[in-house]
């Protein structure tokens, strides 16, 4: 696999000044010096620009629409304070994400609550908070909504359209085997929705689907739109109105040179036009469109800085450069075999011929952050930057091995400020209790 380490031109606003990587106008190695490593760096303008691009293209191509940021990609109060003023809503999937969104200034009237197994207390909390819409994914959820809602609650029903998309391909299936959504193919979605008609406080307003993540191919979304609009037509023939259609997220980004994603404009223009043609062809009323980009708004806005520690060469095998982070700040490699590239922060545009595996510091052989990257020769103390780490990194971080979760520093116009403060050892033992039993 080609992984040059120098991703020239691919990472937009990340630039190089006298060989030094700069993010949001800040010199990466200086950030590392000031804040310590490992460090998540978040380029505010980059995320704002991408989010705005989604809003703007839909305003033009499909005004009857809402862009809901998928909180799971990167959830902290600061992100909502950036995105809410741009007119975005939010997709949340837990009480914790909902709490964070509200605290960050997101209006409940713009929140869609997803999840295949919302707990009763989460359902009560979301009802009390007045979230705009639940995305219902089980019969149990309907029972709990009926039990606790005091007025009709808008719901979308999550369906499984039988399209599974992956980075470079999509699979059309009639599979009913997914923990998400009611299957269209076997008729369960239709009968579930028809049965909602008798509910007092559960108001069916439309359909939701999500076909996968890190998708590059617009054709995958087209197939999903065809399946969903066919289904809308079927429901409308039964007298069931579908006012809203949530197509989920999934728009792919750059991690390595080979990744060739579309822009938000590219993804949205195509989907919006395809949807307009699809509804026209079927003679159905254009639904309110909801899209839920997560990764593509925050992913490329993030960079993680690490300091190189031990370097170990195994003759005729490989050289490991170990850094002060690992699977506790980025579990995606161990989980998904994800690919990344990296640069030396102060030699960011210098090609190198030394091949390294970048290893983490966790006590696990699988804790490798990059399997192979070519860089100039590394020395202990060098700061390296792993690119495209804004999505599903901080939000998936853990205290594994009791490592502290790195802080997030926001950068903008050459200035920096904490977006998430550093954890301390005190923080990670805060809830520990040495149990005492009465007989002790
Ligand atoms: N909407 C729904 C209903 C979703 O399930 C997801 C992601 C999204 C929107 C946002 O998708 P995005 O635009 O970010 O691709 N942890 C994995 C990704 C899991 C995505 C799950 N659902 C990773 O690190 O690659």
């Amino acid at each position: 696999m080609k992984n040059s380490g120098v991703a020239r031109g691919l990472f937009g606003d990340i630039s190089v000044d006298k060989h030094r990587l700069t993010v949001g106008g800040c010199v990466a190695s200086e950030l590392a010096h000031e804040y310590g490593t490992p460090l998540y760096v978040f380029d505010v303008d980059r995320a704002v620009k991408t989010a705005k691009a989604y809003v703007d293209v839909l305003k033009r191509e499909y005004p009857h629409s809402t862009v809901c940021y998928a909180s799971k990609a990167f959830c902290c109060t600061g992100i909502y304070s950036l995105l809410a003023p741009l007119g975005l809503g939010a997709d949340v999937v837990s009480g914790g994400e909902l709490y964070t969104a509200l605290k960050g200034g997101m209006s409940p009237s713009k929140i869609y609550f997803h999840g295949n197994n919302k707990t009763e207390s989460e359902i009560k909390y979301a009802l009390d908070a007045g979230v705009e819409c639940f995305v219902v994914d089980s019969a149990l959820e309907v029972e709990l909504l009926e039990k606790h809602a005091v007025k009709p609650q808008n719901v979308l029903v999550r369906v499984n359209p039988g399209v599974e998309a992956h980075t470079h391909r999509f699979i059309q299936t009639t599979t009913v085997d997914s923990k998400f959504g009611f299957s269209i193919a076997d008729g369960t979605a239709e009968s579930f929705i028809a049965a909602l008609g008798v509910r007092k406080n559960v108001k069916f307003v439309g359909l939701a689907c999500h076909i996968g993540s890190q998708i590059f191919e617009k054709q995958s979304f087209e197939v999903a739109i065809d399946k969903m609009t066919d289904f809308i037509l079927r429901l409308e023939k039964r007298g069931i109105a579908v006012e809203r259609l949530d197509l989920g997220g999934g728009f792919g980004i750059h991690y390595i040179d080979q990744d060739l994603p579309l822009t938000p404009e590219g993804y949205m223009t195509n989907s919006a036009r395809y949807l307009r043609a699809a509804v026209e062809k079927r003679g159905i009323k254009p639904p309110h469109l909801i899209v839920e980009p997560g990764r593509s708004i925050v992913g490329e806005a993030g960079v993680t800085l690490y300091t190189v520690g031990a370097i170990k060469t195994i003759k005729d095998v490989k050289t490991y450069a170990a850094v002060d982070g690992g699977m506790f700040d980025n579990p995606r490699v161990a989980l998904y075999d994800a690919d990344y590239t990296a640069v030396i922060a102060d030699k960011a545009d210098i090609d190198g011929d030394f091949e390294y595996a970048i290893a983490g510091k966790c006590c696990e052989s699988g804790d490798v952050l990059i399997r192979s990257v070519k860089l100039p020769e590394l020395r202990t103390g060098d700061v390296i930057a792993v690119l495209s780490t804004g999505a599903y990194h901080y939000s998936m971080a853990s205290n594994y091995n009791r490592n502290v979760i790195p802080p997030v520093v926001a950068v903008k116009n050459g200035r920096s400020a904490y977006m998430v403060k550093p954890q301390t050892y005190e923080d990670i033992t805060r809830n520990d209790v040495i149990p005492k039993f009465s007989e002790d």
Side-chain angles (χ1 to χ4, degrees):
M1 184 193 73
K2 183 174 163 285
N3 195 354
S4 69
V6 186
R8 282 193 200 94
L10 282 183
F11 291 89
D13 302 345
I14 291 170
S15 55
V16 179
D17 175 29
K18 299 192 198 93
H19 306 310
R20 301 183 307 173
L21 179 76
T22 68
V23 191
C26 295
V27 175
S29 58
E30 288 175 2
L31 292 170
H33 189 68
E34 182 178 348
Y35 293 96
T37 57
L39 181 69
Y40 296 119
V41 180
F42 189 74
D43 183 341
V44 166
D45 285 346
R46 174 78 193 232
V48 163
K49 195 167 115 192
T50 315
K52 239 178 120 334
Y54 275 106
V55 173
D56 290 347
V57 64
L58 281 181
K59 236 182 229 158
R60 189 184 72 227
E61 296 288 339
Y62 202 103
H64 194 28
S65 59
T66 308
V67 180
C68 281
Y69 166 66
S71 300
K72 62 196 75 113
F74 175 43
C75 188
C76 62
T77 52
I79 192 70
Y80 302 100
S81 75
L82 294 174
L83 300 184
L86 305 176
L88 280 89
D91 136 12
V92 300
V93 296
S94 70
E97 283 188 353
L98 173 57
Y99 180 83
T100 313
L102 295 170
K103 205 168 169 185
M106 183 57 72
S107 163
S109 68
K110 293 212 135 181
I111 295 181
Y112 280 68
F113 190 15
H114 285 258
N116 68 311
N117 190 29
K118 303 170 186 78
T119 64
E120 187 162 0
S121 64
E122 285 176 322
I123 287 172
K124 282 202 294 207
Y125 172 40
L127 285 170
D128 286 349
V131 300
E132 165 58 26
C133 198
F134 279 65
V135 182
V136 163
D137 204 342
S138 72
L140 172 63
E141 186 174 344
V142 172
E143 297 306 326
L144 293 171
L145 281 171
E146 275 287 85
K147 182 170 161 197
H148 294 292
V150 292
K151 56 180 190 334
Q153 170 65 50
N154 290 336
V155 305
L156 300 180
V157 170
R158 169 92 181 242
V159 301
N160 168 6
V163 184
E164 258 183 71
H166 302 276
T167 302
H168 292 292
R169 65 202 161 93
F170 70 94
I171 312 167
Q172 266 190 78
T173 64
T174 49
T175 183
V176 288
D177 182 7
S178 166
K179 79 166 189 173
F180 294 111
F182 295 89
S183 171
I184 294 179
D186 71 359
T188 51
E190 191 169 338
S191 47
F192 180 77
I193 292 163
L196 291 179
V198 301
R199 298 291 180 165
K200 193 161 66 72
N201 281 336
V202 175
K203 185 177 176 226
F204 174 77
V205 294
L207 302 172
C209 70
H210 171 78
I211 58 168
S213 203
Q214 183 61 358
I215 302 166
F216 296 147
E217 271 205 348
K218 54 189 185 191
Q219 209 192 345
S220 305
F221 299 107
E222 294 173 358
V223 176
I225 289 169
D226 276 332
K227 299 255 188 172
M228 294 300 280
T229 47
D230 278 347
F231 188 48
I232 292 176
L233 180 62
R234 202 149 79 229
L235 291 174
E236 296 208 333
K237 278 188 180 151
R238 286 185 70 152
I240 301 170
V242 178
E243 292 159 23
R244 307 184 198 180
L245 174 63
D246 178 347
L247 290 174
F251 317 108
I253 64 164
H254 278 123
Y255 285 97
I256 54 169
D257 294 357
Q258 294 92 318
D259 292 336
L260 296 171
L262 299 179
T263 57
E265 286 85 352
Y267 289 120
M268 285 303 101
T269 304
N270 189 71
S271 285
R273 290 184 185 174
Y274 197 88
L275 176 59
R276 277 199 278 129
V279 295
E280 203 169 301
K281 187 167 136 200
R282 290 163 180 81
I284 53 182
K285 197 170 147 260
H288 184 98
L289 171 65
I290 298 135
V291 288
E292 298 171 340
R295 186 192 315 268
S296 53
I297 291 180
V298 292
E300 290 175 26
V303 164
T304 308
L305 304 179
Y306 302 98
T307 302
V308 175
I311 299 172
K312 164 177 162 174
T313 299
I314 306 170
K315 198 168 173 301
D316 300 329
V317 180
K318 67 172 75 155
T319 299
Y320 282 99
V323 295
D324 49 2
M327 62 197 295
F328 61 95
D329 67 76
N330 176 10
R332 297 191 68 256
V333 182
L335 273 175
Y336 315 121
D337 217 7
D339 289 318
Y340 289 90
T341 195
V343 294
I344 301 180
D346 282 342
K347 296 179 186 163
D349 56 355
I350 300 177
D351 276 319
D353 268 339
F354 291 82
E355 191 172 344
Y356 294 99
I358 307 294
K361 69 189 285 290
C362 289
C363 263
E364 271 212 41
S365 318
D367 180 24
V368 172
L369 291 177
I370 305 183
R371 258 172 222 98
S372 167
V373 61
K374 279 198 168 159
L375 293 170
E377 187 171 17
L378 281 172
R379 286 176 218 288
T380 297
D382 280 344
V383 172
I384 64 166
V386 176
L387 307 179
S388 279
T389 62
Y392 302 110
H393 278 237
Y394 172 72
S395 64
M396 291 177 72
S398 75
N399 288 121
Y400 185 45
N401 288 173
R402 287 257 148 154
N403 286 296
V404 289
I405 295 175
V408 182
V409 163
V411 289
K412 182 183 162 78
N413 296 332
R415 293 172 189 270
S416 64
Y418 278 126
M419 198 163 177
V420 180
K421 289 191 291 187
Q423 275 190 338
T424 62
Y425 288 151
E426 182 52 35
D427 289 332
I428 55 178
T429 50
R430 174 150 300 141
N431 295 330
D432 290 7
V433 178
I434 296 173
K436 294 257 189 301
F437 300 99
S438 47
E439 60 270 24
D440 288 348

